[in-house]
Amino acid sequence: MIKELKENYGYLFEDSLLMEINSVGTFKELPEGFQLIDIGDYIKSMPLLVSGAVKILREDDKGDELLLYFIERGDTCAMTLSCCMGQKKSEIRAVAETPTKLIMVPVEKMSEWMGKYKSWQNFILQSYHDRMTELLEAVDAIAFLKMDERLFKYLKDKAMVNHNEVIQVTHQQIAFDMHTSRVVISRLLKTLEIEGKIELHRNSIKILDL
Amino acid sequence: MIKELKENYGYLFEDSLLMEINSVGTFKELPEGFQLIDIGDYIKSMPLLVSGAVKILREDDKGDELLLYFIERGDTCAMTLSCCMGQKKSEIRAVAETPTKLIMVPVEKMSEWMGKYKSWQNFILQSYHDRMTELLEAVDAIAFLKMDERLFKYLKDKAMVNHNEVIQVTHQQIAFDMHTSRVVISRLLKTLEIEGKIELHRNSIKILDL
DNA sequence: CTCAGTCAGTAACATTAGTTACACAGCACT
DNA sequence: AGTGCTGTGTAACTAATGTTACTGACTGAG
């Protein structure tokens, strides 16, 4: 695990902190689609992403979902942080978007290291800021963009975290993530294809205009 | 200023921290409508609210606005925090919703106190969590609610921070905050009145069903 | 190959929200 | 009272999004 730590967090943390993480953290590999956190869960440990990507979703009472943003290598889940702190329930759901490797750190350590390591403190605050910024971007997309623009942004974001201009996804799955209906997505995708921005295939979409 | 501090933050911070805040902070009174922070501003000090309320707005490139949430007594602006840290520009606009009293603290202190006072650390993290939660609520409203529900929620929230079931506002102002058009708001307000949930007057609305 | 299940395309329609245009009411000022 | 400005009500229309219903194409299991 120490190898992964140095590679992904070596530039952020001093050796002593890396050693601490190494001694209390547990390394995990998640398959695609694995659900790390559900809404209402109490969080006992926080994830440090080593590789892969995790998507963060919001859900309302009626079970309608909405994709908020992705978390990647070098990130952590800020929601998790605050949830641990106050022993609060998670407000979001986290699902592995791709096969993902991460290190789980017990929450008690988070607070302890805050006082002990300046670099950890910066990491946590920076993480909060990044997540906040991504949330604002999500708000922008929902509030200011029309469906076709949102859809294209979604496709590009998804291609980005998958490091591949071809994404494996069905229209129905997109509809879930964007909280709309499959028919709407099919319609708009077809338009995007006619505009030459994407290529449609069964179970996959190629983004041309990345 | 020490009186305001003790009243509003005494239960949070130990005396030594209160004294520090007192010695480096400046007390300010803002009139309604005063703009504390604009998008793109570099932040040099962070606000601790003593009384009143501040509304936090998001704006896109085309100048379209959207109300995100309100900040009240005992709160601070988490966006400010993260902006100071990284010397980044503000992503949001902050405008006094009511006449507001607050204490401005230089940003260098924020970081210094993080290591020095556990209570300050908790306050900052709690603040991030609260703001995150409010942002999520805003997302919920935009993504999952229909206009009429969003409007009624807006009216109730506004009545709440104004401590008054009668709010002074024009249809046009609501339209700005909710990023829609005046005609749409007028139409929906009329429906809400017919449903017996509100009473419409020139320049003011009374919320009956609080 | 056949069958069942999943996935995608499309039409027709319903609903919601945004736009344009105009009438008129309330209020301040003269 | 007359003038002008701001705020509100409403109709008629357009545009965007959501819904229902049906078609056929593709795929994997047997």
Side-chain angles (χ1 to χ4, degrees):
Chain A
M1 188 169 85
I2 192 72
K3 180 172 157 289
E4 281 86 1
L5 262 172
K6 288 226 177 188
E7 267 172 24
N8 293 285
Y9 294 93
Y11 70 104
L12 276 175
F13 305 142
E14 53 266 58
D15 283 349
S16 52
L17 177 50
L18 291 175
M19 295 312 258
E20 282 219 54
I21 297 174
N22 188 50
S23 69
V24 298
T26 42
F27 185 77
K28 289 205 175 165
E29 293 202 43
L30 312 177
E32 186 183 326
F34 185 88
Q35 183 168 307
L36 277 93
I37 301 170
D38 198 1
I39 294 169
D41 280 2
Y42 288 95
I43 320 286
K44 299 158 301 301
S45 52
M46 52 175 293
L48 300 177
L49 258 75
V50 169
S51 72
V54 173
K55 66 176 176 182
I56 306 296
L57 302 157
R58 179 74 163 158
E59 195 183 81
D60 76 351
D61 354 298
K62 294 183 292 282
D64 298 321
E65 280 199 353
L66 180 73
L67 171 71
L68 295 176
Y69 51 78
F70 294 103
I71 287 179
E72 291 179 90
R73 163 179 179 276
D75 289 334
T76 186
C77 177
M79 285 311 296
T80 310
L81 305 180
S82 52
C83 291
C84 324
M85 274 209 338
Q87 308 297 332
K88 293 184 196 82
K89 291 181 187 174
S90 173
E91 312 247 15
I92 48 89
R93 169 175 302 156
V95 178
E97 166 76 13
T98 65
T100 296
K101 295 177 187 175
L102 47 76
I103 298 167
M104 300 297 282
V105 178
V107 296
E108 316 86 69
K109 294 297 168 184
M110 175 202 139
S111 179
E112 186 189 320
W113 293 341
M114 281 289 279
K116 206 162 157 189
Y117 299 102
K118 187 76 184 171
S119 60
W120 179 257
Q121 191 193 100
N122 284 336
F123 173 67
I124 297 297
L125 290 178
Q126 182 63 46
S127 167
Y128 263 115
H129 181 253
D130 291 347
R131 244 33 72 210
M132 209 92 175
T133 305
E134 302 218 56
L135 251 184
L136 283 178
E137 239 192 80
V139 169
D140 285 353
I142 312 168
F144 299 131
L145 299 184
K146 286 197 297 182
M147 265 296 177
D148 53 351
E149 300 171 296
R150 260 183 76 197
L151 175 57
F152 194 50
K153 176 172 157 46
Y154 169 90
L155 296 174
K156 283 193 289 187
D157 287 351
K158 192 153 177 123
M160 197 74 74
V161 300
N162 280 276
H163 307 294
N164 194 334
E165 78 277 8
V166 178
I167 56 178
Q168 300 294 320
V169 70
T170 68
H171 298 187
Q172 184 61 71
Q173 286 172 282
I174 301 177
F176 278 139
D177 282 349
M178 294 185 56
H179 186 240
T180 178
S181 77
R182 200 269 310 166
V183 182
V184 171
I185 295 298
S186 290
R187 187 157 61 204
L188 295 174
L189 281 174
K190 185 48 74 180
T191 315
L192 286 174
E193 185 175 43
I194 290 167
E195 289 171 353
K197 296 183 179 173
I198 60 175
E199 251 178 43
L200 295 177
H201 305 280
R202 188 183 173 86
N203 291 316
S204 80
I205 301 174
K206 180 171 184 179
I207 289 86
L208 302 172
D209 190 4
L210 254 181
Chain B
M1 188 168 85
I2 192 72
K3 181 171 156 289
E4 281 86 0
L5 263 171
K6 288 226 177 185
E7 268 172 22
N8 292 286
Y9 295 92
Y11 69 103
L12 277 175
F13 304 142
E14 52 265 59
D15 283 348
S16 50
L17 177 51
L18 291 175
M19 295 312 260
E20 281 218 57
I21 297 175
N22 188 49
S23 68
V24 298
T26 43
F27 185 77
K28 289 205 173 165
E29 293 203 44
L30 311 177
E32 186 183 326
F34 184 88
Q35 184 169 305
L36 278 93
I37 300 170
D38 198 1
I39 293 169
D41 280 2
Y42 288 96
I43 319 287
K44 297 159 304 300
S45 53
M46 52 174 294
L48 301 176
L49 258 76
V50 169
S51 72
V54 173
K55 66 175 174 182
I56 306 297
L57 302 158
R58 180 74 165 159
E59 194 184 80
D60 75 353
D61 354 298
K62 294 183 294 284
D64 298 322
E65 281 198 353
L66 179 73
L67 172 71
L68 294 176
Y69 51 78
F70 296 103
I71 287 179
E72 291 180 90
R73 163 180 179 275
D75 289 334
T76 186
C77 177
M79 285 312 295
T80 310
L81 306 180
S82 51
C83 292
C84 323
M85 273 210 337
Q87 308 297 331
K88 292 184 198 83
K89 291 181 184 173
S90 173
E91 311 248 16
I92 50 88
R93 170 175 299 157
V95 178
E97 164 77 13
T98 64
T100 297
K101 295 178 187 175
L102 47 77
I103 298 167
M104 300 297 282
V105 178
V107 296
E108 317 85 68
K109 294 296 167 185
M110 176 201 137
S111 178
E112 187 190 320
W113 293 340
M114 282 289 280
K116 206 163 156 190
Y117 298 103
K118 187 78 184 168
S119 61
W120 179 258
Q121 190 193 102
N122 284 336
F123 173 67
I124 296 297
L125 290 178
Q126 181 63 47
S127 168
Y128 263 115
H129 181 252
D130 291 347
R131 241 37 70 209
M132 209 94 176
T133 305
E134 301 217 56
L135 252 184
L136 282 178
E137 240 191 78
V139 169
D140 285 352
I142 312 167
F144 300 130
L145 299 184
K146 286 197 297 181
M147 265 295 177
D148 54 349
E149 300 171 296
R150 260 183 76 198
L151 175 57
F152 194 50
K153 175 171 158 48
Y154 169 91
L155 296 173
K156 283 194 287 186
D157 286 351
K158 192 154 176 122
M160 197 73 74
V161 299
N162 280 276
H163 306 295
N164 194 335
E165 78 278 7
V166 178
I167 55 178
Q168 301 293 320
V169 69
T170 69
H171 298 185
Q172 184 61 70
Q173 288 172 281
I174 301 176
F176 279 139
D177 282 348
M178 293 185 56
H179 185 241
T180 178
S181 78
R182 200 271 308 166
V183 182
V184 171
I185 295 298
S186 290
R187 186 158 60 202
L188 295 174
L189 281 174
K190 183 49 73 179
T191 315
L192 286 174
E193 185 175 43
I194 290 167
E195 290 171 352
K197 295 183 178 173
I198 59 175
E199 251 176 43
L200 296 176
H201 305 281
R202 188 184 173 84
N203 291 316
S204 79
I205 301 173
K206 181 171 183 178
I207 289 85
L208 303 172
D209 190 4
L210 254 181

